[in-house]
Amino acid sequence: MRKKTVSLDQAIGHILSHDLTKIDVKTGFKGAIFKKGHVVGQDDIETLRSMGREHLTILELEEDEVHEDDAALALGSAICGRGLKLTAPSEGRCNLIADFRGLLYFDPDKVHLINCDSDWVVVTLYPYTMVEPGDIVAGFRILPLVIKKAQLERALHVGAKFEVRAYKPLKVGLVTTGREIKSGMIEDAFRPKLERKIAYFGGSLLGQNMAGDDLFEIEEAIRNFLDSGADLVICTGGMSVDADDNTPRAIAQACDEIKFKGIPALPGSMLMVGMKGQKVIIGAPACVVHDEWTSLDLILPRIFAGTIPSFDEVRKFGVGGLCRRCKMCTFPNCSFGVKA
């Protein structure tokens, strides 16, 4: 990269070597109207002449160099996946913006690889963050004005890809266990909470079955919902080690596979997830009734996004899986589950 002084007309398409300041006596404005690194365009010429400019000092790139904006745009185009849009580069920075409500997905190890080159800065939200339309999920820029083509090629070769996975409108069945609830001794408090939670993801509640404590009655209630078209069945109550708690056994008998039983997250460590084909059965711990946010809220976004976590993934929930029970709750924009 080398500096060169040229006339205004010759400067079109070239890079400014330094900021250009404009002073407007009428408005009192004084500041850089064109920044170092700006690529001079035809539309800039009139403004430059009004500033008294007839010549500019521009930068000429070597054959093996790439301007910061071009490099940022190239990387952005490569990593921008479905559910995201790429902003135009400005001073070597682009952003990825969520197009719709969903779950952010990317491989953090690939981001780390890009950031091994100190000239690149890629900054993101955590994987599996619940995002809304218009949220910035990643920002990235080039620190120097130009980088080597080889640096750009290395970043592209990493193969990083970001996407937002849209939530699916799952049909949900609720199986409420416990003879004290079935008999009417205690009023069920979970249904209104569940309806509110699944509505956020675009899901719908097919109905609620009061199944008591009998093993076969609970299993039958689960199977009836599965046969009726439920994509997800949530069982509440009876997830502890008490002798009368048959919910885990009923779920196990109704499933083809148990993904995990127990989760390193508090509140809600007794959570259980199983599969019947492509359908999901959840055993929700008792705390979901009285705690607003629990391990269930770390799992539901993934299930509605079609990403069922394995035990190997779930065991990592322990780091970040402790709810701080803040007086002013901001979940999911908080530390609870951010590393999960």
Side-chain angles (χ1 to χ4, degrees):
M1 182 174 65
R2 59 182 181 274
K3 292 183 180 181
K4 182 179 179 181
T5 301
V6 297
S7 66
L8 283 185
D9 292 337
Q10 292 177 314
I12 296 173
H14 290 282
I15 304 164
L16 290 178
S17 66
H18 57 270
D19 293 353
L20 294 180
T21 299
K22 180 177 180 179
I23 300 175
D24 191 321
V25 177
K26 292 183 179 179
T27 64
F29 171 83
K30 179 182 179 181
I33 193 168
F34 296 110
K35 292 280 190 177
K36 176 182 177 180
H38 175 73
V39 178
V40 181
Q42 181 65 52
D43 295 340
D44 299 329
I45 300 302
E46 185 176 345
T47 301
L48 290 165
R49 283 209 169 96
S50 72
M51 295 165 58
R53 300 283 180 172
E54 290 298 332
H55 295 83
L56 295 177
T57 302
I58 54 95
L59 299 176
E60 289 190 333
L61 302 185
E62 303 293 342
E63 286 294 321
D64 64 342
E65 293 176 328
V66 183
H67 183 260
E68 57 178 351
D69 284 350
D70 294 329
L73 187 59
L75 179 63
S77 300
I79 70 176
C80 184
R82 61 182 177 177
L84 294 165
K85 59 186 176 183
L86 177 67
T87 63
S90 175
E91 297 182 7
R93 173 174 174 172
C94 292
N95 293 325
L96 295 181
I97 310 293
D99 259 343
F100 47 72
R101 174 179 289 176
L103 200 64
L104 176 64
Y105 178 80
F106 64 94
D107 184 345
D109 288 337
K110 293 188 175 181
V111 173
H112 299 327
L113 285 174
I114 296 174
N115 283 334
C116 283
D117 184 335
S118 60
D119 285 342
W120 282 103
V121 174
V122 181
V123 184
T124 75
L125 301 179
Y126 281 104
Y128 300 107
T129 295
M130 299 163 62
V131 298
E132 298 287 334
D135 283 353
I136 298 176
V137 306
F140 48 95
R141 66 168 302 169
I142 317 301
L143 293 184
L145 186 59
V146 300
I147 64 170
K148 299 294 185 179
K149 288 182 179 178
Q151 290 177 279
L152 174 58
E153 290 300 321
R154 281 196 296 270
L156 296 176
H157 185 70
V158 168
K161 183 69 76 172
F162 287 71
E163 63 176 292
V164 172
R165 296 181 178 177
Y167 301 125
K168 301 176 181 179
L170 302 182
K171 298 176 181 178
V172 183
L174 173 59
V175 176
T176 302
T177 66
R179 64 175 58 91
E180 70 280 9
I181 299 178
K182 183 178 181 180
S183 66
M185 293 175 59
I186 296 177
E187 182 181 357
D188 173 53
F190 184 66
R191 177 170 179 160
K193 180 178 287 189
L194 176 64
E195 287 184 305
R196 186 176 74 252
K197 289 178 184 292
I198 66 175
Y200 172 84
F201 301 110
S204 58
L205 185 65
L206 290 180
Q208 181 178 21
N209 190 313
M210 302 291 188
D213 290 315
D214 182 75
L215 172 64
F216 299 103
E217 188 178 1
I218 298 171
E219 181 185 354
E220 183 181 23
I222 295 172
R223 293 187 185 278
N224 284 341
F225 273 126
L226 295 177
D227 293 341
S228 299
D231 305 296
L232 167 64
V233 179
I234 300 180
C235 304
T236 63
M239 290 301 298
S240 73
V241 295
D242 292 347
D244 290 333
D245 288 349
N246 285 314
T247 306
R249 288 189 288 275
I251 292 173
Q253 290 183 181
C255 289
D256 299 325
E257 174 192 6
I258 298 300
K259 301 294 287 188
F260 58 87
K261 181 183 177 184
I263 180 173
L266 292 172
S269 60
M270 298 301 288
L271 187 76
M272 178 179 183
V273 171
M275 303 291 295
K276 179 66 175 179
Q278 297 300 310
K279 298 173 183 286
V280 184
I281 300 94
I282 294 178
C287 64
V288 298
V289 173
H290 52 76
D291 283 300
E292 182 60 29
W293 307 112
T294 69
S295 60
L296 180 64
D297 299 287
L298 305 183
I299 295 298
L300 282 180
R302 300 188 186 216
I303 291 174
F304 274 89
T307 305
I308 313 300
S310 65
F311 173 72
D312 188 55
E313 293 175 286
V314 164
R315 68 179 177 83
K316 300 175 183 176
F317 279 33
V319 178
L322 179 64
C323 178
R324 301 179 69 177
R325 300 179 185 273
C326 303
K327 291 182 179 179
M328 295 293 292
C329 179
T330 59
F331 183 86
N333 300 316
C334 69
S335 63
F336 184 42
V338 294
K339 300 244 177 118

